[in-house]
Amino acid sequence: MRALEGGSTHYSDSMGDYEFRRLIAKNNMNSRGFEPEIDQVLVTPGANIMIYYAVRCLVNPGDEVIVQNPCFPTYLSVFSFCGVKPVAVPLKEENEFRLDPKDLEERITDKTRLIILNSPHNPTGAVMRREELEEVAEIAIKHRIYLYLDEIYSRMNYGETPFYSPSIIDKCKDYLILANGFSKAFAMTGWRLGVGIGPKHVMEKMGLLLQTTSSCVPSFIQKAGIEAILGDQNPVREMMSTYKRRRDLLVAGLNSIDKIECLNPGGAFYVFPNIKKTGLSSNEFAGRLLEEGKVGVCSGSDFGSSGEGYIRLCYAVSEAEISEGIRRIKAFVEHL
Ligand code: PLP
C-alpha cells in the first residue's frame, strides 16, 4: 500500500528494479552460497511464464528438451506450442519419484538443448538428494546443455531430505538457470512475482522477450517482494509446520484406505497416491470421485503418461477439509 501511495505505479526497468535485484543477488548468498552479478538476475511476472521465456530463447523448433514425467503441465504446453520435442524421463515410485541421473544421461542426443529439473517436485512432492542433483548438473555441464532448475518449492521442505540447489556448481554463469518465485512459500500466488538467475547472455534474451511482451513487472509488486524477503519469517515457518501436520494427516488417511498406497513426500504441498488396485484409470478415478464423492483431485495422467495409476492431491486446505476429504474418498473406494 505504501508503494502504491508513493507512486511506484509507472513503467520500470524491464529486467527488474535495481533495488530488488540487488536484494535477490545478496539473498542468494544466504540461501545458495553464491552472489550472482546483477545482470544475471531477471524479475518476471511469475515463475510460470519464465518457462516459456527459457524454452523460446534456448530451444529451436524440432530440438529436444529433457523433462521429468510426470511434470508440471505448463512445461508440456510450452513445448507443444513452441514446436520443441519433449523427451521424458519416467519417475518411478520405487525410487520415491526421484529422477535417476543415469536415466537422464541415456536420453541426451545431439538435439538436446535443455534439461528441466523440478525439485521439490510438482506433482509428486519428491525431493532429490544432493548427490543426485550434483550429478545432474555435472551431466548437463559435461554435455554443454542448459539446465533449468525449477526451485519454486525450495522453501517448502519438511526436513527429511534437506533442500539443495546445484546452481552453485557454475554459479549460474554458463549452463545453469535457477527459477524461483513468491507464489508458494509466501502464498503470493496472485501477485505474479518470479525471479530467474542465469548466464548473462541468456537472461538478457529472456529479458528482451519480457520487455516486448509485458514491458516490466510493476514496481509496487517488487517492493512487496522486498518486504516478503526482509520481513518477519515466522509466518512462513508457522505455515510450514501447519503444512507438515496436514501432510502427515493426509498421508496417514490415504494409507488407511484399502487399495490406496501413498508415499510420504519431503516437499511442496502435494501427495501422489497409487490407485492402481482400484482398477480405475486415473481419469476415471478423478472424474467419478468428483461426481460421486464430491472431492476434487487431479488425475495423475494430466502430468504425463507416467502419472497413470496415480492421482494428485493438494493439501493447501484446512485439516478439517482434509479429514472430510479422506472420509469421502474412503466411502467412494469402498463402494466401487
Ligand atoms: N513451477 C512449478 C513446478 C509449479 O508447480 C508452479 C505452480 O504451480 C509454477 C512453476 C508457477 O508458479 P508461479 O505462480 O510463480 O507462476
Side-chain angles (χ1 to χ4, degrees):
M1 290 304 293
R2 275 201 309 278
L4 283 166
E5 281 161 4
S8 294
T9 54
H10 300 278
Y11 287 137
S12 62
D13 189 328
S14 296
M15 292 292 290
D17 291 352
Y18 183 77
E19 189 194 2
F20 185 49
R21 291 161 79 205
R22 284 265 329 148
L23 176 64
I24 294 293
K26 288 214 166 306
N27 204 53
N28 204 64
M29 179 56 114
N30 306 328
S31 61
R32 288 166 178 80
F34 71 98
E35 186 175 330
E37 289 175 47
I38 197 91
D39 292 342
Q40 289 182 266
V41 182
L42 173 69
V43 181
T44 66
N48 214 349
I49 196 156
M50 211 184 322
I51 298 163
Y52 169 66
Y53 299 153
V55 172
R56 198 36 131 196
C57 292
L58 297 174
V59 193
N60 283 325
D63 284 343
E64 295 173 4
V65 182
I66 301 184
V67 68
Q68 290 142 301
N69 181 356
C71 68
F72 179 48
T74 286
Y75 303 148
L76 304 175
S77 307
V78 168
F79 301 156
S80 148
F81 68 73
C82 289
V84 310
K85 188 175 161 217
V87 175
V89 184
L91 303 181
K92 300 176 198 118
E93 188 178 356
E94 52 277 22
N95 199 33
E96 296 171 323
F97 299 118
R98 297 192 322 275
L99 175 140
D100 183 338
K102 292 182 188 52
D103 291 341
L104 169 89
E105 191 162 24
E106 275 170 14
R107 285 166 173 80
I108 293 177
T109 71
D110 56 4
K111 287 200 158 277
T112 312
R113 294 287 168 272
L114 178 67
I115 298 167
I116 295 187
L117 191 72
N118 168 222
S119 175
H121 183 240
N122 180 5
T124 65
V127 183
M128 288 195 36
R129 297 177 181 158
R130 175 177 177 154
E131 59 276 16
E132 295 164 334
L133 291 159
E134 284 173 343
E135 208 178 324
V136 171
E138 274 150 19
I139 290 170
I141 293 167
K142 182 174 82 184
H143 291 271
R144 298 166 173 266
I145 296 169
Y146 291 108
L147 171 62
Y148 184 96
L149 299 159
D150 187 334
E151 298 185 353
I152 186 121
Y153 297 101
S154 55
R155 290 177 188 238
M156 308 206 65
N157 183 294
Y158 303 104
E160 290 93 354
T161 309
F163 172 75
Y164 175 75
S165 174
S167 55
I168 187 157
I169 293 179
D170 83 347
K171 300 192 169 76
C172 294
K173 280 186 188 306
D174 299 310
Y175 294 103
L176 306 195
I177 301 161
L178 190 170
N180 206 344
F182 287 68
S183 287
K184 310 298 175 181
F186 296 114
M188 288 170 67
T189 49
W191 296 73
R192 312 310 307 131
L193 186 58
V195 179
I197 299 177
K200 278 188 210 172
H201 61 283
V202 175
M203 300 328 265
E204 188 193 348
K205 294 288 182 205
M206 287 170 57
L208 284 171
L209 190 49
L210 185 158
Q211 182 177 57
T212 47
T213 49
S214 53
S215 301
C216 62
V217 174
S219 278
F220 61 90
I221 301 286
Q222 299 186 54
K223 291 212 161 49
I226 294 176
E227 289 295 318
I229 290 179
L230 296 181
D232 179 9
Q233 299 300 304
N234 278 327
V236 178
R237 278 190 280 273
E238 278 161 26
M239 201 60 224
M240 282 309 293
S241 45
T242 303
Y243 276 130
K244 189 170 189 199
R245 275 202 313 278
R246 293 176 183 174
R247 178 199 65 172
D248 294 343
L249 180 68
L250 182 57
V251 170
L254 288 167
N255 282 322
S256 76
I257 302 173
D258 211 24
K259 300 187 182 149
I260 294 189
E261 286 154 26
C262 187
L263 292 172
N264 195 22
F269 39 43
Y270 310 108
V271 293
F272 205 62
N274 183 324
I275 51 119
K276 291 177 188 167
K277 287 189 183 149
T278 64
L280 299 181
S281 72
S282 300
N283 271 334
E284 282 166 346
F285 190 100
R288 284 186 55 186
L289 179 62
L290 182 64
E291 294 295 330
E292 298 167 32
K294 310 288 180 221
V295 183
V297 300
C298 291
S299 162
S301 55
D302 287 349
F303 301 87
S305 53
S306 298
E308 181 51 51
Y310 300 87
I311 53 168
R312 191 200 72 171
L313 292 92
C314 173
Y315 48 90
V317 290
S318 70
E319 286 175 51
E321 284 169 300
I322 291 171
S323 299
E324 175 59 17
I326 292 291
R327 193 189 65 72
R328 294 186 195 184
I329 297 173
K330 199 176 220 157
F332 167 74
V333 173
E334 274 167 9
H335 288 98
L336 280 176

